Amino acid sequence: QVQLVESGGGLVQAGGSLRLSCVASGRAFSTYAMAWFRQAPGKERELVAALSWSGGSTNYADSVKGRFTISRDNTKNTVYLQMNSLKPEDTAVYSCARGFTSVPKWDVSQYPYWGQGTQVTVSS
């Protein structure tokens, strides 16, 4: 059984930074792509960033490109999301997810396992 637990969310002023972490239980973490999603109140879930099993291939939403960095440490079964230059529109619940395969697909349906999420609030 796969369990994903996020941490690192909080309240930050615009222009600030946060680093989210997601620890995965279960075997074979290092063989799967991982991703971060976010969902703001009244909005659909948005794929923010994804990376391959090795971390060598990454994808980002245009809205966060250049500000967010996704990475992973397979020795710790952990994936990270470094968020810099935060904006009020980044406010959302951020969740990590594990993919079906090792390739970072840009499709919500390709991520069957999800964490509970962590709240990120950016004040203006």
Side-chain angles (χ1 to χ4, degrees), residues 61-80:
D62 288 342
S63 58
V64 306
K65 203 170 290 183
R67 300 188 297 122
F68 290 12
T69 302
I70 188 171
S71 62
R72 66 193 297 163
D73 184 341
N74 287 339
T75 67
K76 298 180 179 179
N77 277 18
T78 302
V79 62
Y80 305 98

Side-chain angles (χ1 to χ4, degrees), residues 52-97:
S52 62
W53 68 276
S54 67
S57 177
T58 58
N59 292 321
Y60 296 93
D62 288 342
S63 58
V64 306
K65 203 170 290 183
R67 300 188 297 122
F68 290 12
T69 302
I70 188 171
S71 62
R72 66 193 297 163
D73 184 341
N74 287 339
T75 67
K76 298 180 179 179
N77 277 18
T78 302
V79 62
Y80 305 98
L81 186 67
Q82 177 67 45
M83 305 186 295
N84 299 327
S85 302
L86 283 161
K87 305 175 181 180
E89 51 264 42
D90 294 319
T91 295
V93 174
Y94 285 71
S95 302
C96 67

Side-chain angles (χ1 to χ4, degrees), residues 18-39:
L18 283 174
R19 188 195 196 202
L20 306 183
S21 299
C22 170
V23 180
S25 65
R27 295 186 291 180
F29 168 83
S30 61
T31 64
Y32 293 100
M34 297 293 295
W36 285 96
F37 292 79
R38 67 185 181 187
Q39 187 165 22

Side-chain angles (χ1 to χ4, degrees), residues 4-5 12 14-15 18 25 34 43 46 48 50-51 53 75 78-79 83 91 96 101 107 110 114:
L4 302 170
V5 180
V12 63
L18 283 174
S25 65
M34 297 293 295
K43 294 188 176 181
E46 176 188 16
V48 173
L51 83 169
W53 68 276
T75 67
T78 302
V79 62
M83 305 186 295
T91 295
C96 67
T101 70
D107 181 347
Q110 295 299 309
W114 294 81

